[in-house]
Each structure stands twice: as structure tokens, then as C-alpha cells.
Amino acid sequence: MDAHSLQQAFHDMITNLTKDVLHNKSEEKASTSYMYLDAKTINLLLLYLLMNKELQLTRLTNRNPSSTLDKELIDELDNMIVKNKKAFEELLNEMKTNL
């Protein structure tokens, strides 16, 4: 994951967390429960979230291979089949004529 996509993932995560906090505050005004995290815990949490995001992106990338490569391989196989079919038919015709 390059620096730009890592920064974008971090920005998206912070934006989503902020939206969730504001949404929960507006829904649960009666709730006064708070949890404070120290800097090390926050850093570990952010690191975990970013690593999980990177893992998901890697899995998506590996799951969807390049379709252009597949198309090229299919075309090459089709050409080989056509050439081999012609060669095989010529060989059969020669054998028939010699018998």
C-alpha cells in the first residue's frame, strides 16, 4: 500500500469514526458513559485498523486478477488449437491418401 492510499484510508477511518461519534451523541443524549484511551492504545488501535484495511485491499486485488491477461491467454490458446487442428487434419489427409 503506497503512502497516498494509506493516508486516504486513515482519513476515511477518522471521518467514519467522527460521523459515528456525532451520530451516537445525537441519538443517546442521556448516556454519559465515556472511555478514555491513552496514546499507546490509540496508536495500536489505529495500526490494527490500517493493517486490516490493507489486508482487505490485498485480498481484493488477489481475488480479481487482470482480465486483459486472461483474454490474451485465451486468444493464444485458441490460436494454438486452430493451428494444431489444421496440422492434424493435414496429417490425416496424408495418411488417407497413402493408404
Side-chain angles (χ1 to χ4, degrees):
M1 179 178 271
D2 64 351
H4 178 70
S5 58
L6 190 62
Q7 186 179 16
Q8 183 64 36
F10 181 73
H11 180 268
D12 293 344
M13 182 183 62
I14 296 299
T15 303
N16 289 336
L17 286 173
T18 306
K19 285 179 183 178
D20 289 345
V21 168
L22 291 174
H23 180 72
N24 288 339
K25 260 189 175 179
S26 66
E27 282 186 355
E28 302 173 10
K29 290 184 179 185
S31 176
T32 57
S33 300
Y34 294 99
M35 182 171 73
Y36 296 99
L37 302 175
D38 64 338
K40 288 182 182 179
T41 307
I42 291 173
N43 287 339
L44 284 173
L45 178 63
L46 291 174
L47 181 65
Y48 170 76
L49 291 173
L50 290 175
M51 288 175 66
N52 191 28
K53 187 76 159 179
E54 183 176 348
L55 180 63
Q56 289 173 353
L57 289 173
T58 304
R59 286 182 180 163
L60 281 174
T61 304
N62 290 340
R63 191 180 308 155
N64 298 328
S66 173
S67 61
T68 57
L69 180 61
D70 292 341
K71 177 76 170 133
E72 291 173 7
L73 287 174
I74 289 171
D75 290 341
E76 188 173 321
L77 283 172
D78 286 341
N79 288 337
M80 289 174 64
I81 289 171
V82 168
K83 288 178 184 176
N84 286 336
K85 182 179 178 184
K86 288 179 184 177
F88 188 73
E89 287 174 353
E90 290 174 9
L91 186 69
L92 283 176
N93 285 337
E94 277 188 35
M95 290 178 68
K96 285 180 185 177
T97 55
N98 289 336
L99 292 177

